[in-house]
Structures are given as C-alpha cells and as structure tokens.
Amino acid sequence: MKNGEIMELSVQLINIKVGKHKVVLNNLDAKELGVMAGDRVKLKDHGYITAIVDTTDDIIPQGTIGVYHEIMEHINDAHTLEITPATKPASVSTIKHIMDGGKYTREDMYDLVNDIVKENLSDIEMTAFITASHMNCLPAEQTEWLTRAMIDTGEKLDFDTHPIMDKHSIGGVPGNKISLLIVPIVAAAGLLIPKSSSRAITGAGGTADLMEILAPVAFNADEIKSMTEKVGGVIVWGGATNIAPADDKLIRVEYPLSLDPSCQLLASIMAKKGAMGADCVVIDIPTGSGTKIPDVEQGRAMARGLIDLGARLGMQVECAMTYGASPIGRTVGGGLEVVEALKVLESMEGPNSLIQKSVGLAGLMLEMGGAASRGDGRDMAYEILKSGKALEKMREIIEIQGGDPGITSSDISIGDKTAQIFAQSDGYIVEFHNKRIVEIARLAGAPNDKGAGVLIHKKKGETVKKDEPILSIYSEKEWKLTNAINSAKKDSAIIVEGMLLETVRGQREL
Amino acid sequence: MKNGEIMELSVQLINIKVGKHKVVLNNLDAKELGVMAGDRVKLKDHGYITAIVDTTDDIIPQGTIGVYHEIMEHINDAHTLEITPATKPASVSTIKHIMDGGKYTREDMYDLVNDIVKENLSDIEMTAFITASHMNCLPAEQTEWLTRAMIDTGEKLDFDTHPIMDKHSIGGVPGNKISLLIVPIVAAAGLLIPKSSSRAITGAGGTADLMEILAPVAFNADEIKSMTEKVGGVIVWGGATNIAPADDKLIRVEYPLSLDPSCQLLASIMAKKGAMGADCVVIDIPTGSGTKIPDVEQGRAMARGLIDLGARLGMQVECAMTYGASPIGRTVGGGLEVVEALKVLESMEGPNSLIQKSVGLAGLMLEMGGAASRGDGRDMAYEILKSGKALEKMREIIEIQGGDPGITSSDISIGDKTAQIFAQSDGYIVEFHNKRIVEIARLAGAPNDKGAGVLIHKKKGETVKKDEPILSIYSEKEWKLTNAINSAKKDSAIIVEGMLLETVRGQREL
C-alpha cells in the first residue's frame, strides 16, 4: 500500500482476450478494497483506466492484479498499478430503466452504446440489455436513438455524389446470392452502391463469403468510398470496417441465446445503412415457412418499422416481401452459388427464381434512385443484365477489389467429393426444409470450405421420378461428405409423396 | 485430425477460474468445426465433457485448445483432446420459454438449476434467466419448482428430532445483529435452530461476519447437524456448505445488475431453509424508507409469497414486518455489533430497539415451535434473555463451534482510530439514511476490518444539543478513518434541524 491510502498491486499479465476491460483480484485484496466480482476499479498508471473486476481465491495471489489483454494495451509496461474502487458506468442504470420501463434520454442511450463499443460493459450487463429489449421492445423514438448511437460510435462514409443506394436482406432463405447480381445491375445504371455484407453466422454462406471467392472483401471505410466512386459499386465485408461496431458486440451476446429482438434488428440494419451514407435502401424480407419471418403480417410490421426508422434517419426505405420458403436458385454454399450467379451474368442461364428476384429488387432500386421511371425499373434491370452490362460492371468491381476480372463461372473450383440423393419413388417433393438444406450444406463444409455445398435438382412442389437425383452434395473432404449424406437421408429431410398435397405458390408481393 | 473425422487439438492450460466449463479455440479451428463463441463442444479424453466455446484470432494458435481451470480437473493430464460440436443444453430453451411465456415442465426447471450448479451455463445464459425472471416474475408453481430444484441440487440436512426452527431477515437495515440473541433464546427453550447466515455483500456486516468474531463459522452439513443436535443451535456461514449451491451462482449475475427478482428472492430464502430441514420459519421483513422494501404493502405481498411458498414446500412460515428505517440498536459494523449483542446477553444492557425486536421474533418462534402458548412467546423469550439462560446457551454455541466460551463483551477488540461527528447546532436529527450509515461504516473498514464501524449516539427523530456527538467512527486504519469522516460530513449524511418536521414512529406490526 502506498501512503497507506491507495492499494498498489503487482501486475500479472493474462494474455487472453475477453472482449472487455477486465482484471482479476485475489479475494483478500477485493475484500480489503471493498469490491466484488462485477464491480469496477480504477487503475492508475500514467493515466486512468476503469476495469471490471473478477475475483479468485487462488490463481492470482494476494498483492497481485491479473490483467487481461484488453487492459495490457493501456498500461504500457507498468509493473505495479494503483487500484481504487470505481462506480459502475451510468449505462447500467440505463439498462435497468429499459428493463423496468423507466425514463432515459438520448444521451443515456449514446453512452450505453459507447460503453458497449469501448468494451466497458460485462457480458452480464450486455445480456440484460438484449434480454430487456427482447421482452420490452424499445419504442420507435428510443430505437432511433439506439440506431443513431450505433452510427455515431463508428466510422461513417460521406459521399459527395448522391443518391447512395443500398440493399439488405433479412436473411433466412438459403442460396440468396442476389447481391452478386443486383450490385452490378445498379452500378451499371450509373448509381453508387457501396454494399457491405456479412459472413454466414448460422447459414451456408453470406454475401461476403461468396464475394470472397471472386476478390478480397476486407477494406476500410476510405477504401470502400474511393472504390465505389471509381466503379460505382463494391461488395465488401462489413466486419472488416469500423462501421456500426456496436453491432458485432451485440451479436456476441444475442447469438448464444438465438435472440434477435426486433428493435435491435431494425437498429442493426439501419445503423449499417446510415453509416454507409445510404439515401435509398431496398430491404428484402423473405417470408414463409422456414424463414425468419414465417408470417406475412409479421413481415409487414417489420417493413413498417424499417420504413419509419429510415424516415427518422433521413433515408428512403422500400421493403419487398419475397417468397422465402424455398431456396433462391438451385445452389446453396460458396462456390456453387457463385457459379450460379456468374452464369446468369454471363448468359442469362439460370433459375427463374434467382433472375426474377434479382431484377425485381434491382428494378425497385433503379426507380428509387431516379435511374428509371416508376414502373420501368424491372425491365431496365432485366435489360442491363441481359445486355452483358452487369457482367462488365461485375468485372470492374472484382478488379477494383483486387480480384481477377477475367474469372468465369467455369474457373470456380467445386469440391470433388460428391454424392447424389435419389428419389425412392415417383411423386412430388412435399417437404424440403430450408433449415435442413442449410444443415446439409454446412455438414458438407460450407461456409468455411468454399467448394462445399448442395445443388438442388428438385425443389418443393416439383415432380420427381423414381431414381432421379433430388440433390447433389459437394464437399472437399470425404468425412464431411459422409456426414452430409447421413443428414440428408435421416429425419425426412426430403419427403417425396405420390400426390400433390397442396399447391405451392409464391407469395411474393413484388 | 484423427481419421480425418474428428478434430484433435493440443491442450494449452489456462490456469484461470471462470466459474464455468469453458475452452478457447482459434477462430480457424472454430470455423473448420463450424462453431462460434457461445456454442458448445464435446471434449473426449477418457470420458466426455461438454464446454462452452470462446474464440480468438491469436492468443491460442491453430491446432490448440485453451482449457480453463474448470475443465482441467476433468481431463487429467491429457495432451490432446478430440473435439466435436455439441448442441446447447436444453436449459437454454427453458430460459427462452421463461422469457417468452412459453411452457416448460418441473423437470425442465430442475435441469436448468442443475446446469447452473454444474457450471454448464454461460454468464450470458444465466443473465437471460435472471433478467427474464425479473421482468416476468415466475408464477407460484414455477417458483416452487425452482425452489425444489435449488434444494435438490445441493446437500440437505435431515434431523431425527422435530420441529427444526429457522429465521431469516430480508435485510437492508443496518445493525441487525438480532440472530446473535434469537438463536440462543430459541435453543435455550429446547428447540433446535441450525442457523446458517450470509456474509455482508453490500452491508457493513452479515450475521456470519459477526459470529466469526466469536467462533469459526465454516462447517459442512454433517457438522452443522451434529453440533445442532448437541447444543440446540449454531450460527454458521451458509457459504461454507453445499446447501442450495445454485443461490451463490445466481447472485454472481444478480449482483452486478443490483437485481433481486422477487421470485428469485423467495426461492433463494426458502431453498436454504428447506435444505436445512426447517419446519417452522420466521421471516423478518424490515420496511420503511431506506430499506429494501420501502412500502408496507410491498412487504405484505412478499410475506404472502413466502407463506405460500413455505406451504407448498411443507414449511410453516410466519413473517414479521418490522420497522427498518433506522438501524437496529446503536452500532453498525463487526466488533461494535458483537459488543452490543453480548452486553444484552450479559446484563440486558442495550438499546430497546434491539431487545424488543429480538424477543419479539424469538417469541414468535417459541410459539410456532410449541415451546410457548400463543401470546406467551415474547414474555418467555424476554425471561430467557433476562435470566442469563440465553447467555449460557450462547457460550455453549461458541464453544461447540470452536470459539472461547469465556469471551465477554469487554474482550472484543475495536479499532483504535476513532473520530466523533458533532452537532453544529441544537435541534433534531431529521435525516440519517441507512445507506449513508452503512457507507460510513464500510469506508471505515467494515465488514473486512472487524474493528471498524459506527456507534450512533443520536438516531433519527432524537434531539441533539450543539457540540454533542452524533456518531463515533471506529477504524483500524487512519486513512480509512479519514475517508469515513469525509463521507459523514458531506452530502448531508446527517441533517440536524431546529424543529421536528415529522413524528417518527415505528410501523412494526409485531
């Protein structure tokens, strides 16, 4: 103890990243200091830093403070630190107000998000925030505060030219490679579209996973802006930027609970769009059995929420409810999806579900951005795709991101371990769940193994003859192929029946 | 990889206790395995153990698995482990049902509590449980399931003699050393009272902290039973036992949020009583400004909840709403409180608030346990106290717990660094908040320094003359004394005014 007033402890480094500013005290020191696990202490070296306390009976001896990686960077090479108890951040009170319906201000919300970004909140505190916003969804105004705070605590793109176009898909439908078509169509029409995408979390491949097969996807905000200004569009990985960084931190606690509170979802989407400088945003809301939004009415409510939040933030938002109960196109998983998208760009060869959805959404964007008159967008998008202008633009995009612009669909490598699943009888495919298709593709190696995936010969509602192939599985590794085959065969992943039980018809509202 | 089928990783020990079964994977291995932070993996050594995954880009290299302390104990000295993805425990679904008002069974609740005890749930999952039960309090039947599960996942005492008496205080009132009087009174009347107590968390001293000044308090369940059978009562620290072990694990996530969901509070209290084998329980509910239960109506609701839960568990519960807006007695903090309690036992010398509350509650217990007729309990308790039988019993209790039975109030050492706070003018004490008294005692060193505390000369509502002492502060260390003095002087910890603003009258319902 220095001057008998402040506790001074020897530093013991713990070279583990815990995603927050955290230290470990021996219980005897914690008692002496009057703090418990979960409390805060202030550490003094040259400056001050506040850390969350964990306590132990043994591992860290009395007189010593265990310092995790995130703190190490702040304390230079200090051998000792002066420790005093500190109060909890005000954000913890804000979280309790959100839980209990108490009052808080826009500044309180900013401080909360800022503490999340600065790694000042524990998993416990962040989970309470997420659980509370799941159980008592934030009102529209507070969701706006949340979104603005998410934008303002990260990097922002600021373009000189407008409008800036953007699109987003709520996800949940396999094989949704439409961004690989929409971005070049929109950019080819002369609009700017700096598309940032995510990697798959529970899916078989996010847009960033797919684009990575064609070109690098990790760029910072300045690079994204400059590339977009040069060729009109990019398809990059949002995770490499510092755009709305709170989002990834929140996903870290949402994911283990499979929670995605609707206000958090709205804020997450619109914060990323706002930070990218978007003026006009089209949002694809896949609905139907097996999607994240099984119920159309729920999809409409989400659309209203997104449009309202966009208006609050000065963005024009249009939402397209799309049929999501079946995969888009016939491929699910990295390379297979890229091949399917490239073939459409190269020669319009490809499934109607993919082409129609892509030109439908691209057409909406052309209309919103003023490149086409209302009602003419879809035709214009189709024409850009058919004429080869979209392919040409895609090559420019691939090139500016550092890929090979000469790449064609036949250059993409697909796993050489393959198997086919055949129909056991004549009939119709009556059940073929999205989730099971994704599971098969993931077991085959997607999204990590780019050559892994599933090619769907027969979709739900289609007729099939005995011994015809229903799907082909591609894998880079024999044991993964085996696991995927076993999954495809069990639990009625695919059900063929001898009669059509119901008419399966697209519910799209495009 | 072994046989190309199962991932085999080298073990790197991380000798840190994290309170759960956790491992760290390099992100590349996690991707290959198809798991993310928060997912589970199964580890195979001789047997199997499931662990929660954390991920890192650097600290743990590819091909290696970082293994925290809690796992180390299970894997012996294995140098490599076979890793496969595992599903989340079903408890996570139960937590989501609690969040969303879904259905779950008694067995689901047992599994959830068992996973908490076995350290199978992450902080994120446990916090979701606590936050959900705070926001949507569990119905009575589910609270019963929770309580039974908390009892059944720990050690239980099973006495041959009945009834077993117990008491509990909801807490929140400083200086509440009444157990030191009640336990010997009840035991002296021939009833068995195995009293387990807690240490202070946010207070200046829990009953276990106080008793520890007189005798050891850490015993296992068998020792508690045998000592109780020999002398009629004990006052031990619950934390040393394996009684209702889920409780401490839940407190670990409740404390950082200052949450104490009422259903969790009921379950926590009654699980500990149930596991101790209690038949008759008296619960002290201090109400009034500055307590945990400021509102009497809220106190009554809690009483109804406790009585109902007791009935469901086969325990007879009576609740006493007591006045808690002022400290009990005139001392707050370790040694001072013990001196005050011993003086009452030795010679009935002491504040009326302490004597009356103690004999009131003890009297209730004597009636419930059949030692006194209804209406005669208080007088009998007073007589036992006054006759010296309670002192004699307390000495037996001290002795059987391994303390010195000859100890007297004058043997207790009190901090020799002292200061007094004087009235600046004639008047009445109009404000003297419980929380501020506790804060001053804690700054002086309580509960860690046994000699630290506060002696209150003038309580709220009492008259005081200019320059008369209002309180004395005792500390073992000069710098702590200074901090305590500064706190006592600032922020109107004590307000003296020249007129009586209101009549302060006890609201006790005893």
Side-chain angles (χ1 to χ4, degrees), chain A residues 124, chain B residues 95 109 112-117 121-123 125-131 133 138 146-147 149-150 153 201 244-261 263-265 267-268 271:
Chain A
I124 291 172
Chain B
I95 293 169
M109 181 62 91
L112 169 55
V113 174
N114 195 40
D115 275 332
I116 290 170
V117 171
L121 295 184
S122 66
D123 277 359
E125 290 150 352
M126 287 179 58
T127 305
F129 174 46
I130 288 300
T131 306
S133 32
L138 297 178
L146 170 63
T147 314
M150 289 174 75
T153 49
I201 295 179
D247 194 45
D248 278 348
K249 316 248 179 210
L250 289 169
I251 288 172
R252 257 200 62 251
V253 300
E254 289 169 350
Y255 171 76
L257 298 165
S258 316
L259 279 188
D260 203 353
C263 52
Q264 295 285 351
L265 179 62
S268 160

Side-chain angles (χ1 to χ4, degrees), chain B residues 368-430:
Chain B
M368 288 173 79
S373 319
R374 278 281 163 189
D376 294 341
R378 175 191 287 263
D379 289 348
M380 183 177 174
Y382 190 88
E383 187 49 40
I384 290 173
L385 187 60
K386 195 172 174 214
S387 68
K389 284 185 198 155
L391 174 64
E392 195 182 321
K393 183 54 72 182
M394 186 62 171
R395 288 183 168 150
E396 289 177 30
I397 293 171
I398 291 170
E399 183 168 26
I400 200 151
Q401 291 188 209
D404 169 12
I407 198 165
T408 69
S409 55
S410 53
D411 298 326
I412 309 294
S413 81
I414 303 298
D416 57 356
K417 313 287 186 292
T418 69
Q420 287 190 310
I421 305 292
F422 298 97
Q424 304 290 308
S425 62
D426 290 6
Y428 296 82
I429 308 289
V430 294

Side-chain angles (χ1 to χ4, degrees), chain A residues 329-349:
Chain A
R330 294 193 173 269
T331 60
V332 175
L336 290 169
E337 293 198 44
V338 172
V339 169
E340 192 174 44
L342 283 183
K343 278 188 178 169
V344 172
L345 285 167
E346 286 163 3
S347 60
M348 295 298 273
E349 181 197 330

